Amino acid sequence: MSKVVDYYLTPVSPWTYLGHERFPSICAAHDVQVQLHVMDLGKVFPVSGGVPLKDRPPQRRAYRLAELRRWRDFLRIPLTVEPKFFPVPAEAPATTVLAVLERHGTDAALDVAGDVMRAVWAEERNVADAETLVDVLTKRGLDAAALLGHARSAEVAARYIQHSQEAIARGVFGSPTYVYQDELFWGQDRLDFLERALAG
């Protein structure tokens, strides 16, 4: 029986983007089944004491930019630390990923989530814009019109709320969070610890 890791994310997070390609490789190496949860940090942050970026003090915002540069250079991943379209509303890209998850499964949803994050952080595109999401989905060979219609449905809206509530219930407070055997690993910089747990 394969191991299971619950992957909690928002598809506009730079930290999630920095770990998103490494995570599936780790899972493949350890026969891990990924359960994807797309959450609304606007609901998760207030419960856990998190503060939106715009409300953080200057020294914290400055250090965040320094860390993004460090990790970008260390991992050699294309990333603009202050992209043109960020902060960006997360609902449209998040519900799009959820629609893909429901219609096409986890692997396809992970691919689209990665494309969305790359669009924000490497390509400086507006992922709240329908045209950008259409392009992302079309390049994956997916039916963009059908998926964006489903993304706007009450069913997917309810799933988005459900995933957010599940995250809160499990003690998740940021993106990305990986949960293995009820142990939380918060942040792409904890992937090494997750891999050790999976190998143990």
Side-chain angles (χ1 to χ4, degrees), residues 71-95:
W71 279 104
R72 173 197 64 192
D73 297 344
F74 177 69
L75 296 171
R76 298 181 180 180
I77 293 176
L79 182 144
T80 302
V81 296
E82 295 185 273
K84 182 178 180 180
F85 296 101
F86 188 84
V88 60
E91 183 174 357
T95 54

Side-chain angles (χ1 to χ4, degrees), residues 171-191:
V172 172
F173 53 87
S175 176
T177 297
Y178 319 95
V179 183
Y180 175 58
Q181 294 183 341
D182 291 326
E183 184 176 359
L184 272 65
F185 300 83
W186 171 49
Q188 60 85 27
D189 55 341
R190 296 299 182 266
L191 280 170

Side-chain angles (χ1 to χ4, degrees), residues 109-128:
L110 289 171
D111 287 341
V112 169
D115 293 344
V116 166
M117 288 183 276
R118 193 175 307 108
V120 177
W121 296 102
E123 300 165 3
E124 295 195 87
R125 300 171 70 191
N126 182 3
V127 295

Side-chain angles (χ1 to χ4, degrees), residues 19-198:
H20 192 71
E21 289 188 9
R22 284 179 293 147
F23 175 62
S25 299
I26 290 169
C27 291
H30 295 280
D31 190 26
V32 170
Q33 176 188 345
V34 177
Q35 293 186 342
L36 179 60
H37 308 267
V38 184
M39 60 183 175
D40 181 355
L41 282 184
K43 290 185 170 57
V44 172
F45 266 4
V47 175
S48 61
V51 178
L53 181 60
K54 65 181 179 62
D55 297 328
R56 294 175 197 169
Q59 59 269 45
R60 286 184 177 268
R61 293 200 303 269
Y63 189 75
R64 171 184 171 276
L65 296 178
E67 280 284 89
L68 285 174
R69 291 187 189 97
R70 288 171 183 156
W71 279 104
R72 173 197 64 192
D73 297 344
F74 177 69
L75 296 171
R76 298 181 180 180
I77 293 176
L79 182 144
T80 302
V81 296
E82 295 185 273
K84 182 178 180 180
F85 296 101
F86 188 84
V88 60
E91 183 174 357
T95 54
T96 298
V97 173
L98 278 171
V100 174
L101 178 64
E102 292 193 354
R103 294 280 174 89
H104 298 282
T106 301
D107 289 345
L110 289 171
D111 287 341
V112 169
D115 293 344
V116 166
M117 288 183 276
R118 193 175 307 108
V120 177
W121 296 102
E123 300 165 3
E124 295 195 87
R125 300 171 70 191
N126 182 3
V127 295
D129 182 70
E131 288 185 10
T132 302
L133 294 173
V134 166
D135 184 59
V136 166
L137 294 168
T138 301
K139 284 180 177 174
R140 285 286 175 184
L142 300 170
D143 185 338
L147 286 166
L148 291 182
H150 186 48
R152 291 188 289 268
S153 70
E155 176 186 350
V156 170
R159 187 79 64 205
Y160 192 32
I161 293 170
Q162 178 190 350
H163 282 205
S164 304
Q165 291 172 338
E166 289 172 356
I168 292 166
R170 296 194 75 178
V172 172
F173 53 87
S175 176
T177 297
Y178 319 95
V179 183
Y180 175 58
Q181 294 183 341
D182 291 326
E183 184 176 359
L184 272 65
F185 300 83
W186 171 49
Q188 60 85 27
D189 55 341
R190 296 299 182 266
L191 280 170
D192 288 346
F193 286 105
L194 174 62
E195 186 165 23
R196 291 188 191 104
L198 291 170

